[in-house]
Amino acid sequence: MRILPSGDRALLVELDDLDQVLGYYAALAADPPPEVVDIVPAARTILVTTRGDLAGLSRSLRELVPARDRRTSGELIEIPVVYDGADLDDVAVLLGCTRDDVVARHTSASWTVAFSGFAPGFGYLTSDGDWNIPRRTSPRTKVPAGAVGLAGEFSGVYPRESPGGWQLIGRTSVRTFDASREPAALLHPGRRVRFVDAGRG
Amino acid sequence: MSSLTVLTTGPLATIQDRGRAGQAALGVPASGACDRAAYELANRLVGNHEGAAAIEVTYGGLTIHADTDLLLAITGAPCTGVPLNAPALLRSGELLRLGPPASGLRTYVAVRGGLDVPPVLGSRSTDLLSGLGPSPLVAGQTLQVGSLVHPMPGVDQAPVAHPAAGQVVLRVTPGPRRDWFTDAGWASLLSQVYEVSTNSNRVGVRLDGTPLERARAGELASEGMTHGAIQIPPSGTPVIFLADHPVTGGYPVIAYVAAADLNACAQLRPGQPVRLVS
């Protein structure tokens, strides 16, 4: 663990990999140090913002014991997906398999929300599977809400219509972000997800 | 119930409060008033509760019609034609017109009672990046005024300085990715006179200048950022994150603006010279 300066109010914790991020984030979220305002996990880092002093925060972060097995212990939700995405054929070519194989791999994998970003409620889901999907060479200007995509080692669901460069493999009618709901983001860090094939509806 | 009607908005007028801190892990940006000190002062001058919603006006141009008697306070960038840093009564039927500011960019209009619009995720702030909160104000829109207030503070005029008109100096501290830049790059950041770009908005202040030399090529995995982060995109010129900045960013943060200078940052206007000092 490396702790990097981030202004007068925050420290950036740099970790080795996503598994460490999941473990440390779970420990921080369960028992945040006093006066912490925000904890933002990302791919290799966790940003911690505080109202208190940075030296105290730094000590607390160094003493933190990461949680174990974060990929298997979060609350599990199921998301039905219609697998008819515009990039499904391209993804099959990239993986050297058929469309049905892509669907089988996506639905059989156990996904965990590692972090959010890009837009409110956009969760970056990581899995035990071996995904490495390049982004589209030219991003779409409009990706519809509910589109299910792949990029790098991650899968995600677009919470609302936005531009986007992920490879789209399907769509869901589940609302992943609703400002009138508590919590507003369905796919918040630590949650586990299983995608279910809802057929061609 | 008290209300006011917006007749003109100028380039941009939004409703702002203290924002949505604490939800960054869900991808929800903090947002809120850009010049926090000016916003808070406006509320205090009319005895509002902390966190009451007020109007943030960008480069003047707002005209409002008082549908009822209103007690107002206007702070921040000093617009021509209006009283500043003092409580003022606007009688029913009267108009308030904010001319262009003599210095600074953002002016705050607080109404005693606060603006009563529905909160979204605990805040009445307009977040332009993520589309949360009320839409920017439009001509013809009527705003209801709330009634939750403290006693008036009994202050006639608050002695605060106007935002600076000439070169602004911002104090910075090294950021987490200082080592992605050469020592020459760091020295260049701290020695050049930047100019505020017209591309600036509530998400960030973009600075025009000589690109910085990088020590490391390649891409950074996106990481959390906070208000005042100075990102260096591939163009090599800085972007200082303001209230509506995204929760994470993928470009290296070379430095952070000191918390005490963030309000000055919010008042920078296009074309204004800026220096960063360590």
Side-chain angles (χ1 to χ4, degrees), chain A residues 2-6 10-14 45-47, chain B residues 176-177 223-224:
Chain A
R2 223 169 40 127
I3 296 181
L4 303 171
S6 280
L11 294 171
L12 189 72
V13 181
E14 192 178 57
T45 57
I46 304 174
L47 180 78
Chain B
R177 306 301 169 191
E223 56 193 27

Side-chain angles (χ1 to χ4, degrees), chain B residues 78-174:
Chain B
C79 291
T80 52
V82 296
L84 204 72
N85 301 323
L89 185 65
L90 191 65
R91 291 279 183 198
S92 176
E94 286 183 338
L95 297 183
L96 178 80
R97 284 180 212 276
L98 276 65
S103 67
L105 184 66
R106 295 185 166 97
T107 306
Y108 294 84
V109 181
V111 185
R112 180 161 168 85
L115 296 171
D116 188 15
V117 298
V120 174
L121 297 175
S123 163
R124 295 177 168 84
S125 287
T126 301
D127 180 339
L128 295 177
L129 181 80
S130 56
L132 294 173
S135 298
L137 298 184
V138 293
Q141 184 175 1
T142 295
L143 295 169
Q144 304 298 320
V145 176
S147 55
L148 200 62
V149 290
H150 293 304
M152 283 293 286
V155 173
D156 292 333
Q157 176 99 41
V160 293
H162 294 330
Q167 185 178 101
V168 171
V169 175
L170 301 173
R171 289 161 290 180
V172 305
T173 53

